[in-house]
Amino acid sequence: MKRILVTGGAGYIGSHTCVELMNAGHEVFIYDNFSNSSPIAIERVEKITGKAIRFIQGDILDQYLLENTIKASNCDTVIHFAGLKSVGESVKQPINYYENNVVGTLTLLKAMTNCNINKLVFSSSATVYGNPKFLPLTEDHPLSATNPYGNSKLIIEDILRDIHISSPDWSITILRYFNPVGAHSSGLIGEDPRGIPNNLMPYVAQVAIGRLAELTVFGNDYDTADGTGVRDYIHVSDLAKGHLKAIEQIGMPQCSEINLGTGVGYSVIDVINAFKRASNRDIPFRFAERRNGDIATCFADPKLAKEILGWEAELGIKEMCNDHWAWQHKNPEGYGVV
Ligand code: NAD
Ligand code: WQD
């Protein structure tokens, strides 16, 4: 049993990961400022697992509170989800993004150092591969960034690699997520974007439920089978189980980067059709210009995760859409209306 401090644990991926960790017998302590989440998510995790969760409302920029929380929770490991994640917003608010993501992570690392804990799992992203030079994307693909969000992840990865060089006893697992979608099979927790969603699946779900009128498909002239962008969508519960595996093997001095994806790519049209089948609703859409900064195709080589973590994704596009729809249908306003 490990005692784990989960920064950003009330968020989309964090809440699903807490379910898997708690079901496996680990103890979690959530640290979140609720800037992009709701405490209701924590109540729902308690409902799913039948266990109480300790949590504190706090900012990762607050080193004093972080250190007190690490001491009070007696944790031995940290999973660090907290941060801002919208690519478009990061272009408009670079200072906010670098401060929350980079300075926030540095503050956490200082707090961990002062409290003598050195086991960390970090949420990185396939965005660090930039525009793919080859596919599938292996962990040794060259790294680059085209926006402040992606750059913040690259800078943090570099910081973590440098820490491991200077203090080789640290155990750091950098997980690079592909496109997380779906929701817990209970329909009790899921993604609850504030305002108009930026990402495809939550947008499609809100069109299906009638909150949004139609989907805009960004580009139908890519060099893909149907001309629309192709991505490696991964069920959030599979992703959460990847964290459980990472936690179970963490401890040996190391710093590794591991893709968490399925290895399979689906186009925007594939997603629309799968979601139509899951929801039995119409999804009106129209084609528009490509979105700035988008790439044609992106999918993972997930072999290393299998080799190192003994993990591979089990759920396909059908389960992703079924579970995302169940969450949307049961919670049409997200956590806004209980
Ligand atoms: P999310 O916004 O749902 O969760 C992030 C959580 O962190 C939220 O609960 C938010 O309130 C909290 N938070 C933000 N800034 C904070 C701060 N300064 N102090 C304390 N708490 C703070 O996002 P998510 O989708 O669950 O993503 C989790 C992590 O995974 C992020 O680091 C994100 O960059 C990364 N990631 C997400 C995706 C994706 O598509 N969802 C893909 C790759 C990587
Ligand atoms: C998927 C496909 C769009 C919305 C982003 C971040 C990445 C990572 C995951 C955090 C693309 C198309 C989308 C819409 C559309 N996040 N689309 N209409 O861009 O692959 O990745 O989220 O780390 O860093 O960049 O995901 O879901 O936005 O787009 O046609 O309204 O859907 O063009 O082909 P993306 P996405």
Side-chain angles (χ1 to χ4, degrees), residues 85 87 124-127 147 149 153 177-180 197-203 215-219 222 228-231 233 268 291 294-296:
K85 64 164 179 177
V87 170
S124 190
S125 166
T127 195
N147 56 71
Y149 168 72
K153 292 292 179 190
Y177 315 151
F178 281 67
N179 288 56
N198 300 304
N199 296 117
L200 179 65
M201 182 94 53
Y203 202 109
L215 171 74
T216 305
V217 176
F218 299 132
Y222 285 109
T228 65
V230 169
R231 297 290 183 276
Y233 297 96
V268 176
R291 185 173 61 180
D294 269 359
I295 54 179

